[in-house]
Amino acid sequence: MIKRVWQVIGWFGVGAALVLSLGHPVLDEGGHRDKVMHLAGYAVLMFWWAQLVTRQRWKLAIAVVLFGGAIELLQGLTPDRDPDIFDAITNAGGVLLGWLAARLLPNLPAEIAA
């Protein structure tokens, strides 16, 4: 049951990343705040899914990095956004941070189910 709830929330996170990345900008994208949001968002996304994918997490990490890269490319097709290589690099940094956190911290769904 916990695993299923975790998956549903994870898919909402994927959807939120799509909507927030491809829709009209919600925050001012100037300064470092934009990069902090990218780093934090992809760290949480990777950490969340890494709680379910406990073997060969490197495949999950590659998938999340490719997801972030695809979103950056898709931003070039929107009227309000422009692709940014530095956003893609920051996304990848967030994936690395989320992977590291998942590796060092206990598995939350297992802890909740126990």
Side-chain angles (χ1 to χ4, degrees), residues 4 8 10 14 16 18 21-22 24 26 33 44 49 53 63 66 74 79 84 88 93 95 99-100 104 108 114:
R4 184 74 173 140
V8 169
V14 169
L18 281 168
S21 298
L22 297 176
H24 184 73
V26 178
R33 183 174 22 186
V44 169
W49 282 101
V53 178
L66 291 174
L74 288 172
D84 184 353
V95 170
W99 174 82
L100 184 61
L104 296 175
L108 296 179

Side-chain angles (χ1 to χ4, degrees), residues 14 17 38-39 41-43 45-47 49 57-74 84-99:
V14 169
H38 279 268
L39 186 75
Y42 279 83
L45 195 61
M46 177 62 191
F47 177 78
W49 282 101
R57 282 185 177 149
W58 64 271
K59 290 180 181 179
L60 173 66
I62 289 171
V64 178
V65 167
L66 291 174
F67 174 70
I71 286 178
E72 286 303 317
L73 291 174
L74 288 172
D84 184 353
I85 187 67
F86 296 111
D87 284 350
I89 291 168
T90 306
N91 295 347
V95 170
L96 181 61
L97 187 63
W99 174 82

